[in-house]
Amino acid sequence: MSTNKHDHKAQADHEHNCHHSGSDPAGADGEYDRVPAGYSGTVYTCPMHPNVRDVRNSGCPICGMALEPEGILVGDEDTSELDDMTRRFWISAIFTIPLAIYAMGDLIPGRPLEGLLPAGWSQWAQFALALPVVLWGGWPFFLRGLRSVRTMNLNMFTLIALGVGVAFVFSLVATAMPGIFPAAFRNESGDVAIYYEAAAVIITLVLLGQVLELRARSATSGAIRALLELTPPTAVRILADGGEEEVSIDNVNTGDHLRVRPGEKVPVDGEVIEGRSNVDESMISGEPIPVEKTIGEPVTGGTVNGTGSLIIAATRVGDDTTLSQIVRMVAEAQRSRAPIQNLADTVAGMFVPAVVLIALATFIVWSVFGPDPAMAFAIVNAVAVLIIACPCALGLATPMSIMVATGKGAQSGILIKNAESLETFEKIDTIVVDKTGTLTEGEPRLVTVEPIEAFSETDFLSFAAAIERSSEHPLAQAIVKGAEERSAARLDASDFGSVTGEGAQGRVNGKIFAIGNAKMMRRVGALDEALQARAEIYRKDGQTVMFAALDGKPAGLIGVADPIKDTTPEAIETLHKAGMKVVMLTGDSKATAEAVARQIGIDEVHADVSPEDKNRIIRELQSAGTVVAMCGDGINDAPALAQADVGIAMGTGTDVAMESAGVTLVKGDLRGVARAQHLSRATMSNIRQNLFFAFVYNSLGVPVAAGILYPFFGLLLSPMIAAAAMSLSSVSVIANALRLRALRL
């Protein structure tokens, strides 16, 4: 078994900080990619900026936050960043609390701390307490702030480093050389104010904010960690001599026979070769009802076996299992950027420089027009502006909601490939669906066999099955299965060839046999009007009819019926209630397609279409102003899935379809489309709430910190209060995003 999934840290193990000040330099391809060609070790990247890649955790050159491994890991969460910030917070708090109490001793009734220290020692004592907090506790912030200036990617650490640095250095100069300050800096008693407690409290509160954010952020990845933990660590392998051995899941290979006892988790994807049981697939599909599994049925790794015993043959192991692919898709989606984040980027691009200018203007206005000591007021208010304006909440608004939503979707059987698909889904007003495998079971049955007089039914089926054995289409498999059930002789075909959207042909017993739709018959010159008329009768009953030709002459027709899924009528009704128009695109005949449409209430039908036609029709719908989602499950649906505003693949379909789609419904149930849109609308509403909180917070916080309320109410905002508000604003955004975990889908 491949062990790649054990080599990297979980997507859940994200360290968070805040968003950078400028727009993501996506156009600078390779500028921040420092991974050498051919490098095979762990690659680190920034969760906010996937274009940043490095071979070591050197920190993001754009936003300053720590990098993390690109891959995923089954195992314990990496908490090194949280542990470091927690340690810095508690040690800083030990020094900050007595410093803050002593500095604000005048506010304590009776002033019990007055005279506690000899004259001249007070300021140096405060310096001694503040020094380890600012230099050690705040060291990561100063490093990131310096780097931001050096690279001109201004971010929250620019403001923190500038604000705290100004307060601390000013206080140190005032302590060491108070005589150099003019009267404007001095209070009524002639002393120069110092701000050691403000610098220390700001650092401690920012550290607290980091700790709270990291813990809250970890909670956003609970869904993916739950998925990662589904795989059991071991499996019971059946040996060639009939014995059994317990082996690590890493040592399971494709083709191994594994025993799954009652109540155990299925170790890998496989196929049942012995036994019968009901398997709980709710953790992957979101469906609560266990699914019966018998010989020949597929089982998915991570699902839970019921009361029966199963022996399975491993078909997909390691990174190829369904669960590994789900985890990988969720991880990639959580790192992707939604278009709405461009709004935050645009604002943030101008935000930090604007804040620095506002802080400078605040200093000038207070130093000129403020009350005595004017310069002291100027410094305090300028620092408060710098601290409260950190754009942390603004940067968190979108990615936090995306992370929670993609995890929630994965738990409900809705796999979202990227954030753009999640955002666009909200606007969908037209759902385009394939018929076979999407609206229907995708396991059609042979119903009608009508050869020409020169052919017996069994000979006719023998020729047809010989051609269709080389095809993977569900209709082809139905013909093969039907031929076997009717005891038709098995023949072999050579020179097989297929025409996408038309049919297939080959050589059987030295003769050219072709089977397909009317286009195929026209291609081989065997289109027969009488057979077409017969076909229309069967199509009105919902059968899919294929024509056959032998050496360029009509040979008969075959009718296959594909039953409608039990859930399809409910799904169509739900989509209609959500205000969506449902359009069917199918390569099947018009009569068959319309028969199905009538039964389930499809709004518009396009039949007998090729993959190119599907792509063209979707473009036409888009040109008419509709926002289109396409649901499909086959290779022939891939171009349409890629063209649609959002492609939705059925998890029961082909890998090509799932690669082309932005959303995958694990269960292949069309009802998942309505659930996906509900998730999209809830997520976008959550993001807008977060952005509103962030914008309003900064819009109101900066003027208050600058002292706009002082002339009217005598109110000023302490830098310490500003630091607390800044930290709590980020936590409030994360808390709002976490509400999505309670969403009912």
Side-chain angles (χ1 to χ4, degrees), residues 261-537:
R261 300 186 181 94
E264 290 184 342
K265 291 181 178 179
V266 178
V268 296
D269 292 1
E271 181 179 306
V272 178
I273 58 176
E274 186 179 318
R276 175 190 294 267
S277 185
N278 291 324
V279 176
D280 182 358
E281 298 182 336
S282 60
M283 64 287 295
I284 291 180
S285 67
E287 296 294 328
I289 302 174
V291 180
E292 185 180 13
K293 300 293 183 180
T294 58
I295 295 175
E297 295 282 341
V299 289
T300 304
T303 56
V304 181
N305 186 26
T307 56
S309 181
L310 297 174
I311 296 178
I312 67 171
T315 56
R316 292 194 291 185
V317 300
D319 290 344
D320 295 329
T321 64
T322 300
L323 184 60
S324 292
Q325 292 174 2
I326 289 173
V327 170
R328 189 181 309 108
M329 184 178 292
V330 175
E332 291 172 353
Q334 290 183 336
R335 282 203 176 98
S336 62
R337 291 165 55 87
I340 196 173
Q341 195 165 341
N342 293 331
L343 174 62
D345 287 346
T346 302
V347 173
M350 302 175 289
F351 193 76
V352 174
V355 168
V356 173
L357 292 176
I358 293 171
L360 183 60
T362 299
F363 178 84
I364 295 172
V365 170
W366 276 94
S367 62
V368 176
F369 302 105
D372 293 329
M375 297 301 293
F377 279 105
I379 291 174
V380 169
N381 291 324
V383 169
V385 169
L386 291 171
I387 298 302
I388 202 170
C390 289
C392 192
L394 190 61
L396 285 171
T398 299
M400 287 298 98
S401 298
I402 295 296
M403 285 191 67
V404 179
T406 51
K408 178 68 178 180
Q411 290 181 316
S412 303
I414 304 167
L415 303 184
I416 298 162
K417 193 172 186 178
N418 53 60
E420 184 176 1
S421 297
L422 184 63
E423 178 176 341
T424 305
F425 217 124
E426 178 194 34
K427 307 169 187 173
I428 296 297
D429 55 25
T430 301
I431 299 290
V432 176
V433 296
D434 178 45
K435 180 177 75 68
T436 305
T438 303
L439 299 175
T440 63
E441 294 287 353
E443 296 181 2
R445 295 188 296 270
L446 180 64
V447 177
T448 301
V449 181
E450 194 169 294
I452 60 173
E453 295 180 359
F455 247 139
S456 70
E457 180 177 304
T458 54
D459 288 343
F460 182 57
L461 280 177
S462 294
F463 274 74
I467 298 298
E468 298 293 21
R469 280 192 187 92
S470 300
S471 174
E472 296 182 354
H473 197 283
L475 297 181
Q477 298 306 309
I479 294 173
V480 173
K481 186 176 180 181
E484 293 173 350
E485 291 173 347
R486 302 185 188 201
S487 302
R490 183 182 178 99
L491 302 176
D492 295 322
S494 60
D495 300 331
F496 176 83
S498 64
V499 181
T500 304
E502 295 185 14
Q505 66 178 15
R507 190 175 295 275
V508 184
N509 285 354
K511 299 180 179 181
I512 302 290
F513 191 88
I515 184 170
N517 56 22
K519 289 182 181 179
M520 188 68 177
M521 294 300 102
R522 192 176 292 109
R523 178 186 295 273
V524 300
L527 191 63
D528 184 87
E529 292 184 1
L531 285 177
Q532 282 189 295
R534 294 286 299 166
E536 287 302 314
I537 297 174

Side-chain angles (χ1 to χ4, degrees), residues 673-687:
V673 175
R675 293 201 298 267
Q677 189 175 62
H678 180 47
L679 176 64
S680 172
R681 288 175 174 173
T683 303
M684 296 311 300
S685 175
N686 192 271
I687 288 174

Side-chain angles (χ1 to χ4, degrees), residues 8-16 68-69 73-83 213-222 224-226 228-229 403:
H8 306 292
K9 179 166 82 72
Q11 173 69 16
D13 304 339
H14 283 168
E15 185 266 349
H16 158 70
E68 60 186 32
L73 168 71
V74 177
D76 296 332
E77 181 181 1
D78 182 5
T79 60
S80 57
E81 184 72 13
L82 175 59
D83 294 341
E213 286 177 20
L214 288 166
R215 288 179 177 176
R217 185 176 174 88
S218 177
T220 66
S221 303
I224 196 170
R225 284 204 300 274
L228 288 166
E229 292 168 358
M403 285 191 67

